[in-house]
Amino acid sequence: MDDLSVELATAAWRKATKSASNDGNCIEVAPLSDGRVGIRDTEAPEKAPYIVRASVWDAFIDGAKKGEFDF
């Protein structure tokens, strides 16, 4: 098992508190080393998560706060 696999297996996954209103179906995120963030589907936690750099995650959060993804 490589270092990333070990890190993912012990990662502190969390989901938004508002996900309860969606039957808990959402994504989970986990902080990883080097500022990376793991992103996975709560309905399929056994599948490999997406791993993004800190800059990508920060840009996503910034866009979400600004309403860029609102419908």
Side-chain angles (χ1 to χ4, degrees), residues 8-33:
L8 289 169
T10 60
W13 293 98
R14 65 182 191 268
K15 59 183 173 180
T17 55
K18 292 190 177 195
S19 68
S21 64
N22 191 28
D23 294 326
N25 298 326
C26 61
I27 61 168
E28 294 177 305
V29 297
L32 302 172
S33 61

PDB file of all heavy atoms in Angstrom, residues 8-33:
ATOM      1  N   LEU A   8      -5.453   8.032   2.839  1.00  0.00           N
ATOM      2  CA  LEU A   8      -6.887   8.030   2.536  1.00  0.00           C
ATOM      3  C   LEU A   8      -7.656   7.099   3.467  1.00  0.00           C
ATOM      4  O   LEU A   8      -8.785   7.393   3.871  1.00  0.00           O
ATOM      5  CB  LEU A   8      -7.122   7.642   1.080  1.00  0.00           C
ATOM      6  CG  LEU A   8      -6.704   8.687   0.054  1.00  0.00           C
ATOM      7  CD1 LEU A   8      -6.737   8.095  -1.347  1.00  0.00           C
ATOM      8  CD2 LEU A   8      -7.585   9.925   0.147  1.00  0.00           C
ATOM      9  N   ALA A   9      -7.053   5.980   3.814  1.00  0.00           N
ATOM     10  CA  ALA A   9      -7.724   5.010   4.689  1.00  0.00           C
ATOM     11  C   ALA A   9      -7.916   5.553   6.100  1.00  0.00           C
ATOM     12  O   ALA A   9      -8.846   5.149   6.810  1.00  0.00           O
ATOM     13  CB  ALA A   9      -6.929   3.712   4.728  1.00  0.00           C
ATOM     14  N   THR A  10      -7.064   6.485   6.508  1.00  0.00           N
ATOM     15  CA  THR A  10      -7.156   7.034   7.854  1.00  0.00           C
ATOM     16  C   THR A  10      -7.620   8.486   7.865  1.00  0.00           C
ATOM     17  O   THR A  10      -7.609   9.135   8.907  1.00  0.00           O
ATOM     18  CB  THR A  10      -5.793   6.927   8.566  1.00  0.00           C
ATOM     19  OG1 THR A  10      -4.814   7.661   7.819  1.00  0.00           O
ATOM     20  CG2 THR A  10      -5.366   5.475   8.705  1.00  0.00           C
ATOM     21  N   ALA A  11      -8.026   8.996   6.721  1.00  0.00           N
ATOM     22  CA  ALA A  11      -8.435  10.403   6.605  1.00  0.00           C
ATOM     23  C   ALA A  11      -9.683  10.688   7.429  1.00  0.00           C
ATOM     24  O   ALA A  11     -10.519   9.812   7.648  1.00  0.00           O
ATOM     25  CB  ALA A  11      -8.688  10.750   5.137  1.00  0.00           C
ATOM     26  N   ALA A  12      -9.801  11.930   7.867  1.00  0.00           N
ATOM     27  CA  ALA A  12     -10.963  12.391   8.627  1.00  0.00           C
ATOM     28  C   ALA A  12     -12.006  12.932   7.657  1.00  0.00           C
ATOM     29  O   ALA A  12     -12.086  14.134   7.400  1.00  0.00           O
ATOM     30  CB  ALA A  12     -10.544  13.466   9.627  1.00  0.00           C
ATOM     31  N   TRP A  13     -12.816  12.036   7.074  1.00  0.00           N
ATOM     32  CA  TRP A  13     -13.832  12.426   6.100  1.00  0.00           C
ATOM     33  C   TRP A  13     -14.979  13.130   6.817  1.00  0.00           C
ATOM     34  O   TRP A  13     -15.409  12.726   7.888  1.00  0.00           O
ATOM     35  CB  TRP A  13     -14.358  11.191   5.369  1.00  0.00           C
ATOM     36  CG  TRP A  13     -13.313  10.573   4.513  1.00  0.00           C
ATOM     37  CD1 TRP A  13     -12.519   9.504   4.836  1.00  0.00           C
ATOM     38  CD2 TRP A  13     -12.932  10.978   3.203  1.00  0.00           C
ATOM     39  NE1 TRP A  13     -11.670   9.234   3.801  1.00  0.00           N
ATOM     40  CE2 TRP A  13     -11.897  10.119   2.782  1.00  0.00           C
ATOM     41  CE3 TRP A  13     -13.350  11.984   2.344  1.00  0.00           C
ATOM     42  CZ2 TRP A  13     -11.283  10.240   1.539  1.00  0.00           C
ATOM     43  CZ3 TRP A  13     -12.744  12.102   1.109  1.00  0.00           C
ATOM     44  CH2 TRP A  13     -11.722  11.233   0.724  1.00  0.00           C
ATOM     45  N   ARG A  14     -15.486  14.183   6.190  1.00  0.00           N
ATOM     46  CA  ARG A  14     -16.646  14.890   6.753  1.00  0.00           C
ATOM     47  C   ARG A  14     -17.545  15.365   5.617  1.00  0.00           C
ATOM     48  O   ARG A  14     -17.106  15.549   4.496  1.00  0.00           O
ATOM     49  CB  ARG A  14     -16.203  16.051   7.628  1.00  0.00           C
ATOM     50  CG  ARG A  14     -15.495  17.157   6.877  1.00  0.00           C
ATOM     51  CD  ARG A  14     -15.040  18.259   7.827  1.00  0.00           C
ATOM     52  NE  ARG A  14     -14.612  19.417   7.112  1.00  0.00           N
ATOM     53  CZ  ARG A  14     -13.370  19.663   6.729  1.00  0.00           C
ATOM     54  NH1 ARG A  14     -12.432  18.791   6.992  1.00  0.00           N
ATOM     55  NH2 ARG A  14     -13.071  20.766   6.071  1.00  0.00           N
ATOM     56  N   LYS A  15     -18.808  15.558   5.966  1.00  0.00           N
ATOM     57  CA  LYS A  15     -19.762  16.072   4.978  1.00  0.00           C
ATOM     58  C   LYS A  15     -20.498  17.252   5.578  1.00  0.00           C
ATOM     59  O   LYS A  15     -20.488  17.460   6.793  1.00  0.00           O
ATOM     60  CB  LYS A  15     -20.723  14.989   4.512  1.00  0.00           C
ATOM     61  CG  LYS A  15     -21.552  14.353   5.589  1.00  0.00           C
ATOM     62  CD  LYS A  15     -22.406  13.239   5.011  1.00  0.00           C
ATOM     63  CE  LYS A  15     -23.118  12.479   6.101  1.00  0.00           C
ATOM     64  NZ  LYS A  15     -23.927  11.412   5.562  1.00  0.00           N
ATOM     65  N   ALA A  16     -21.144  18.003   4.731  1.00  0.00           N
ATOM     66  CA  ALA A  16     -21.851  19.199   5.176  1.00  0.00           C
ATOM     67  C   ALA A  16     -22.989  18.833   6.115  1.00  0.00           C
ATOM     68  O   ALA A  16     -23.676  17.830   5.910  1.00  0.00           O
ATOM     69  CB  ALA A  16     -22.404  19.967   3.972  1.00  0.00           C
ATOM     70  N   THR A  17     -23.203  19.648   7.118  1.00  0.00           N
ATOM     71  CA  THR A  17     -24.299  19.395   8.049  1.00  0.00           C
ATOM     72  C   THR A  17     -25.648  19.483   7.348  1.00  0.00           C
ATOM     73  O   THR A  17     -26.600  18.834   7.751  1.00  0.00           O
ATOM     74  CB  THR A  17     -24.268  20.399   9.215  1.00  0.00           C
ATOM     75  OG1 THR A  17     -24.268  21.728   8.703  1.00  0.00           O
ATOM     76  CG2 THR A  17     -23.030  20.190  10.071  1.00  0.00           C
ATOM     77  N   LYS A  18     -25.741  20.258   6.282  1.00  0.00           N
ATOM     78  CA  LYS A  18     -26.999  20.384   5.541  1.00  0.00           C
ATOM     79  C   LYS A  18     -27.302  19.157   4.690  1.00  0.00           C
ATOM     80  O   LYS A  18     -28.362  19.059   4.108  1.00  0.00           O
ATOM     81  CB  LYS A  18     -26.990  21.638   4.681  1.00  0.00           C
ATOM     82  CG  LYS A  18     -27.006  22.898   5.508  1.00  0.00           C
ATOM     83  CD  LYS A  18     -27.241  24.107   4.673  1.00  0.00           C
ATOM     84  CE  LYS A  18     -27.313  25.322   5.573  1.00  0.00           C
ATOM     85  NZ  LYS A  18     -27.879  26.456   4.906  1.00  0.00           N
ATOM     86  N   SER A  19     -26.392  18.209   4.627  1.00  0.00           N
ATOM     87  CA  SER A  19     -26.634  17.017   3.816  1.00  0.00           C
ATOM     88  C   SER A  19     -27.748  16.153   4.398  1.00  0.00           C
ATOM     89  O   SER A  19     -28.337  15.355   3.692  1.00  0.00           O
ATOM     90  CB  SER A  19     -25.362  16.182   3.671  1.00  0.00           C
ATOM     91  OG  SER A  19     -24.992  15.616   4.909  1.00  0.00           O
ATOM     92  N   ALA A  20     -28.058  16.338   5.664  1.00  0.00           N
ATOM     93  CA  ALA A  20     -29.133  15.569   6.287  1.00  0.00           C
ATOM     94  C   ALA A  20     -30.474  15.822   5.598  1.00  0.00           C
ATOM     95  O   ALA A  20     -31.320  14.934   5.528  1.00  0.00           O
ATOM     96  CB  ALA A  20     -29.234  15.899   7.767  1.00  0.00           C
ATOM     97  N   SER A  21     -30.667  17.022   5.064  1.00  0.00           N
ATOM     98  CA  SER A  21     -31.922  17.336   4.382  1.00  0.00           C
ATOM     99  C   SER A  21     -31.988  16.691   2.996  1.00  0.00           C
ATOM    100  O   SER A  21     -33.013  16.734   2.338  1.00  0.00           O
ATOM    101  CB  SER A  21     -32.087  18.852   4.252  1.00  0.00           C
ATOM    102  OG  SER A  21     -31.063  19.383   3.424  1.00  0.00           O
ATOM    103  N   ASN A  22     -30.900  16.071   2.583  1.00  0.00           N
ATOM    104  CA  ASN A  22     -30.827  15.402   1.280  1.00  0.00           C
ATOM    105  C   ASN A  22     -30.640  13.897   1.485  1.00  0.00           C
ATOM    106  O   ASN A  22     -29.979  13.249   0.695  1.00  0.00           O
ATOM    107  CB  ASN A  22     -29.662  16.004   0.479  1.00  0.00           C
ATOM    108  CG  ASN A  22     -29.658  15.581  -0.966  1.00  0.00           C
ATOM    109  OD1 ASN A  22     -30.703  15.290  -1.537  1.00  0.00           O
ATOM    110  ND2 ASN A  22     -28.492  15.513  -1.566  1.00  0.00           N
ATOM    111  N   ASP A  23     -31.200  13.361   2.562  1.00  0.00           N
ATOM    112  CA  ASP A  23     -31.044  11.955   2.935  1.00  0.00           C
ATOM    113  C   ASP A  23     -29.577  11.566   3.089  1.00  0.00           C
ATOM    114  O   ASP A  23     -29.217  10.401   2.961  1.00  0.00           O
ATOM    115  CB  ASP A  23     -31.719  11.028   1.915  1.00  0.00           C
ATOM    116  CG  ASP A  23     -33.224  11.203   1.894  1.00  0.00           C
ATOM    117  OD1 ASP A  23     -33.804  11.470   2.976  1.00  0.00           O
ATOM    118  OD2 ASP A  23     -33.825  11.073   0.819  1.00  0.00           O
ATOM    119  N   GLY A  24     -28.724  12.551   3.327  1.00  0.00           N
ATOM    120  CA  GLY A  24     -27.310  12.275   3.534  1.00  0.00           C
ATOM    121  C   GLY A  24     -26.532  11.991   2.270  1.00  0.00           C
ATOM    122  O   GLY A  24     -25.365  11.642   2.319  1.00  0.00           O
ATOM    123  N   ASN A  25     -27.170  12.099   1.112  1.00  0.00           N
ATOM    124  CA  ASN A  25     -26.489  11.837  -0.160  1.00  0.00           C
ATOM    125  C   ASN A  25     -25.768  13.095  -0.611  1.00  0.00           C
ATOM    126  O   ASN A  25     -26.392  14.085  -0.972  1.00  0.00           O
ATOM    127  CB  ASN A  25     -27.490  11.407  -1.231  1.00  0.00           C
ATOM    128  CG  ASN A  25     -28.181  10.124  -0.847  1.00  0.00           C
ATOM    129  OD1 ASN A  25     -27.586   9.263  -0.228  1.00  0.00           O
ATOM    130  ND2 ASN A  25     -29.437   9.996  -1.203  1.00  0.00           N
ATOM    131  N   CYS A  26     -24.470  13.044  -0.553  1.00  0.00           N
ATOM    132  CA  CYS A  26     -23.693  14.215  -0.950  1.00  0.00           C
ATOM    133  C   CYS A  26     -22.243  13.783  -1.137  1.00  0.00           C
ATOM    134  O   CYS A  26     -21.966  12.607  -1.337  1.00  0.00           O
ATOM    135  CB  CYS A  26     -23.800  15.307   0.108  1.00  0.00           C
ATOM    136  SG  CYS A  26     -23.175  14.813   1.719  1.00  0.00           S
ATOM    137  N   ILE A  27     -21.351  14.724  -1.024  1.00  0.00           N
ATOM    138  CA  ILE A  27     -19.936  14.392  -1.081  1.00  0.00           C
ATOM    139  C   ILE A  27     -19.337  14.559   0.311  1.00  0.00           C
ATOM    140  O   ILE A  27     -19.893  15.246   1.166  1.00  0.00           O
ATOM    141  CB  ILE A  27     -19.162  15.262  -2.094  1.00  0.00           C
ATOM    142  CG1 ILE A  27     -19.247  16.740  -1.724  1.00  0.00           C
ATOM    143  CG2 ILE A  27     -19.661  15.020  -3.507  1.00  0.00           C
ATOM    144  CD1 ILE A  27     -18.285  17.608  -2.491  1.00  0.00           C
ATOM    145  N   GLU A  28     -18.212  13.914   0.506  1.00  0.00           N
ATOM    146  CA  GLU A  28     -17.433  14.082   1.720  1.00  0.00           C
ATOM    147  C   GLU A  28     -16.068  14.610   1.309  1.00  0.00           C
ATOM    148  O   GLU A  28     -15.601  14.326   0.205  1.00  0.00           O
ATOM    149  CB  GLU A  28     -17.227  12.746   2.432  1.00  0.00           C
ATOM    150  CG  GLU A  28     -18.486  12.125   2.969  1.00  0.00           C
ATOM    151  CD  GLU A  28     -18.222  10.773   3.596  1.00  0.00           C
ATOM    152  OE1 GLU A  28     -17.653   9.898   2.906  1.00  0.00           O
ATOM    153  OE2 GLU A  28     -18.582  10.605   4.762  1.00  0.00           O
ATOM    154  N   VAL A  29     -15.463  15.364   2.191  1.00  0.00           N
ATOM    155  CA  VAL A  29     -14.121  15.872   1.930  1.00  0.00           C
ATOM    156  C   VAL A  29     -13.224  15.521   3.103  1.00  0.00           C
ATOM    157  O   VAL A  29     -13.695  15.319   4.222  1.00  0.00           O
ATOM    158  CB  VAL A  29     -14.121  17.404   1.690  1.00  0.00           C
ATOM    159  CG1 VAL A  29     -14.932  17.756   0.464  1.00  0.00           C
ATOM    160  CG2 VAL A  29     -14.631  18.155   2.898  1.00  0.00           C
ATOM    161  N   ALA A  30     -11.932  15.444   2.819  1.00  0.00           N
ATOM    162  CA  ALA A  30     -10.950  15.174   3.868  1.00  0.00           C
ATOM    163  C   ALA A  30      -9.680  15.953   3.570  1.00  0.00           C
ATOM    164  O   ALA A  30      -9.193  15.934   2.436  1.00  0.00           O
ATOM    165  CB  ALA A  30     -10.639  13.690   3.941  1.00  0.00           C
ATOM    166  N   PRO A  31      -9.160  16.634   4.580  1.00  0.00           N
ATOM    167  CA  PRO A  31      -7.874  17.299   4.381  1.00  0.00           C
ATOM    168  C   PRO A  31      -6.768  16.249   4.300  1.00  0.00           C
ATOM    169  O   PRO A  31      -6.798  15.251   5.024  1.00  0.00           O
ATOM    170  CB  PRO A  31      -7.732  18.165   5.638  1.00  0.00           C
ATOM    171  CG  PRO A  31      -8.574  17.491   6.663  1.00  0.00           C
ATOM    172  CD  PRO A  31      -9.693  16.827   5.916  1.00  0.00           C
ATOM    173  N   LEU A  32      -5.828  16.464   3.395  1.00  0.00           N
ATOM    174  CA  LEU A  32      -4.712  15.538   3.205  1.00  0.00           C
ATOM    175  C   LEU A  32      -3.394  16.301   3.329  1.00  0.00           C
ATOM    176  O   LEU A  32      -3.391  17.524   3.441  1.00  0.00           O
ATOM    177  CB  LEU A  32      -4.821  14.867   1.836  1.00  0.00           C
ATOM    178  CG  LEU A  32      -6.110  14.092   1.562  1.00  0.00           C
ATOM    179  CD1 LEU A  32      -6.165  13.653   0.108  1.00  0.00           C
ATOM    180  CD2 LEU A  32      -6.239  12.905   2.500  1.00  0.00           C
ATOM    181  N   SER A  33      -2.313  15.588   3.284  1.00  0.00           N
ATOM    182  CA  SER A  33      -1.001  16.219   3.389  1.00  0.00           C
ATOM    183  C   SER A  33      -0.746  17.167   2.214  1.00  0.00           C
ATOM    184  O   SER A  33      -1.396  17.069   1.165  1.00  0.00           O
ATOM    185  CB  SER A  33       0.087  15.151   3.450  1.00  0.00           C
ATOM    186  OG  SER A  33       0.078  14.372   2.268  1.00  0.00           O
TER     187      SER A  33
END
